Amino acid sequence: MSTDTRTLNSASDTWERARRVVPRGVSSGHRVGWEQVFVKASGANIWDDQGNQYIDYINSWGPIVLGHCDRRVNEAVFAAANTCDLTGVGPQFGEVALAEKICEVMPSADKVAFCTSGTDATMHAVHIARAATGRMKILKFHGSYHGWNDQVAVGSSRADLTPGSPLNTPNGAGLHPASVADVVVVEWNDFEGVRAAFDEYGDDLAAAFTEGYVHSFGCVPAAPGFLEQLRELCTKNGTALVFDEVKTGFRSAIGGFQSICGVTPDLTAFGKAVANGYSLAGLAGSNEWMGHLGAYSKKEATIDGTYNANPYAMAAASKTLELMETENVIPRLYELGERLRTGIAAAITEVGIDACVSGLGSEWTVYFRKELPTNFRQAMESDATRYATYHASLLSQGILEPAFPTGDRRLNASTTFEDIDRTIEANRVALRAAAE
Ligand code: PLP
């Protein structure tokens, strides 16, 4: 069979061929549900194989923060690759520089270790917390996604929200039941629920995982005092507070959401925006907690990986963070995001539809319900039929957004104010269609 990509000359051909050789045609589950096949990306835009251009508001679910195919980042990667590729020996030059930078900007970071995906980072956080405390249980919030490890891939399936069903339902088959049983799942923003969980399991909780600002089911902030209460209970019970900043890190602020909310976790998992699309994630934390990361011993957790801190990702991240600072990227993301949310809110009022918009900085979500949700169940009440009409209308107007109602969307720094105004106008049209 030919492997020449030029023979993949239409979306239907590509899907057909893909399904023959890749389960469901994609190597990452959330990529199903599209007819399009994208073949080109640049700045704020992507193009499908039919030559249709879209403003991209998925941005690969977070990594693309400067813009697609950023030449400066790519050149830094080529330079690194042409200087010294993988050696597998000792520290990498870029690793030290990047770790120093992250320790400088991220409040929880005394030390940093790198890996290649958010799933790796949250897995290592679980191992450190268990090694440090000798406890097994993990607390997490309903609907929050932290990757695919057995220890946390629980309680965030959009498929099972039957009233009365347990919150700690596995996200998929194949997870070890004993791991699942060790996960305590609490509804987001449920103060009483968190207190009750600590009352019941406090002595057994190795870690409490949370997104500082939830993006797993759109854009749902913590209620005032919620993160502070969690911090207090973790400290009191000797439980590691783990912030999952895989989506917020280097996007909501260079130092992550923790530098906005003022609550400092013990450990932070990060990834996505740190390297503008190159595969990089990591774990940061205090000297005390990160001190439990060693190698091959019964007492210490281990981090080990052929591609950890590879020079390509290090170069991409160092250049991305440099550009974010020198080009004032975060304020630009906030200005663009604020203008968009304000415009969408005005369009919602004008159309008179039961919908609302929420978000932070470069991220936003439109919910088809009267009031902003405060937890997963409420977010899932967003009207799926209206959303499908809204989504299809936006797509036909050249606006690419997530295909499911609770998906968070985000812009990148190459988005222009003209793009934003066009998107507001497209929203007006799409909201009218959804209201019919
Ligand atoms: N944590 C959060 C909050 C995420 O959104 C994701 C991925 O979307 C992950 C962890 C897992 O990261 P990765 O896809 O890099 O494994």
Side-chain angles (χ1 to χ4, degrees):
M1 183 192 283
S2 164
T3 52
D4 185 344
T5 51
R6 285 168 301 176
T7 63
L8 302 173
N9 55 5
S10 80
S12 54
D13 284 357
T14 308
W15 274 107
E16 204 182 307
R17 274 182 68 179
R19 282 196 199 94
R20 252 183 265 138
V21 286
V22 182
R24 298 169 81 217
V26 289
S27 297
S28 189
H30 62 269
R31 291 187 204 151
V32 292
W34 295 94
E35 283 168 17
Q36 288 79 2
V37 169
F38 290 99
V39 292
K40 181 180 154 191
S42 175
N45 298 113
I46 56 176
W47 287 260
D48 68 21
D49 66 330
Q50 306 300 308
N52 298 311
Q53 179 176 345
Y54 303 81
I55 305 175
D56 181 14
Y57 290 132
I58 296 178
N59 281 302
S60 201
W61 299 98
I64 309 299
V65 67
L66 297 172
H68 282 287
C69 296
D70 189 284
R71 186 183 42 79
R72 301 153 305 173
V73 175
N74 288 344
E75 279 171 2
V77 172
F78 298 149
N82 286 328
T83 307
C84 181
D85 58 8
L86 283 180
T87 63
V89 178
Q92 310 276 304
F93 182 73
E95 174 181 18
V96 182
L98 184 61
E100 284 172 349
K101 181 69 198 168
I102 292 173
C103 289
E104 185 190 311
V105 297
M106 187 173 275
S108 65
D110 292 331
K111 285 199 169 62
V112 180
F114 297 106
C115 47
T116 54
S117 76
T119 287
D120 291 348
T122 54
M123 176 187 71
H124 290 304
V126 170
H127 291 173
I128 291 175
R130 285 182 172 159
T133 61
R135 304 168 180 176
M136 287 300 125
K137 286 199 183 299
I138 305 293
L139 182 146
K140 73 173 286 290
F141 292 100
H142 196 203
S144 273
Y145 171 65
H146 302 296
W148 274 104
N149 315 295
D150 289 35
Q151 300 95 332
V152 288
V154 175
S156 48
S157 163
R158 287 191 297 270
D160 187 10
L161 278 175
T162 328
S165 67
L167 299 191
N168 70 339
T169 311
N171 291 352
L175 272 61
H176 198 292
S179 283
V180 174
D182 271 335
V183 185
V184 179
V185 183
V186 178
E187 209 67 71
W188 178 237
N189 281 326
D190 179 359
F191 284 80
E192 185 47 45
V194 175
R195 279 197 297 272
F198 272 91
D199 281 348
E200 189 168 357
Y201 303 110
D203 290 345
D204 299 325
L205 283 174
F209 270 71
T210 188
E211 296 175 86
Y213 187 109
V214 166
H215 286 310
S216 291
F217 42 94
C219 291
V220 187
F226 190 68
L227 294 172
E228 287 78 358
Q229 174 186 267
L230 190 60
R231 175 65 280 179
E232 206 180 306
L233 287 168
C234 282
T235 305
K236 200 169 135 204
N237 288 273
T239 300
L241 175 59
V242 183
F243 269 22
D244 181 340
E245 296 238 30
V246 169
K247 271 190 173 160
T248 48
F250 314 98
R251 181 176 272 282
S252 64
I254 295 278
F257 187 74
Q258 59 198 264
S259 67
I260 299 174
C261 70
V263 173
T264 305
D266 300 305
L267 294 168
T268 302
F270 62 86
K272 300 213 186 225
V274 68
N276 202 53
Y278 286 86
S279 172
L280 174 62
L283 196 60
S286 64
N287 280 321
E288 187 193 336
W289 289 92
M290 292 295 277
H292 292 275
L293 204 51
Y296 310 124
S297 95
K298 282 191 179 161
K299 284 196 178 148
E300 294 171 323
T302 298
I303 188 162
D304 203 346
T306 304
Y307 301 105
N308 288 1
N310 69 74
Y312 330 113
M314 297 297 102
S318 284
K319 184 47 90 176
T320 300
L321 298 189
E322 178 198 313
L323 291 167
M324 286 185 80
E325 287 189 333
T326 55
E327 300 192 343
N328 273 326
V329 163
I330 297 284
R332 177 176 172 83
L333 295 177
Y334 273 70
E335 205 184 336
L336 290 161
E338 205 46 50
R339 180 168 171 143
L340 184 55
R341 283 187 293 274
T342 306
I344 294 174
I348 289 171
T349 308
E350 189 187 305
V351 172
I353 186 171
D354 283 349
C356 47
V357 58
S358 66
L360 174 78
S362 60
E363 298 241 3
W364 75 100
T365 296
V366 174
Y367 294 100
F368 285 90
R369 67 195 302 275
K370 253 198 184 112
E371 285 165 11
L372 290 175
T374 61
N375 63 33
F376 187 41
R377 284 192 194 278
Q378 291 178 5
M380 290 299 291
E381 286 162 13
S382 182
D383 187 318
T385 310
R386 285 193 195 280
Y387 184 78
T389 308
Y390 169 79
H391 179 258
S393 170
L394 288 179
L395 195 63
S396 71
Q397 298 177 76
I399 308 285
L400 189 78
E401 298 207 349
F404 59 97
T406 56
D408 53 332
R409 51 276 278 142
R410 62 203 58 73
L411 48 86
N412 69 50
S414 300
T415 313
T416 63
F417 287 96
E418 292 72 40
D419 290 334
I420 295 298
D421 292 342
R422 185 155 88 71
T423 307
I424 294 169
E425 197 41 50
N427 264 266
R428 199 167 276 121
V429 173
L431 287 164
R432 269 197 217 108
E436 278 169 11

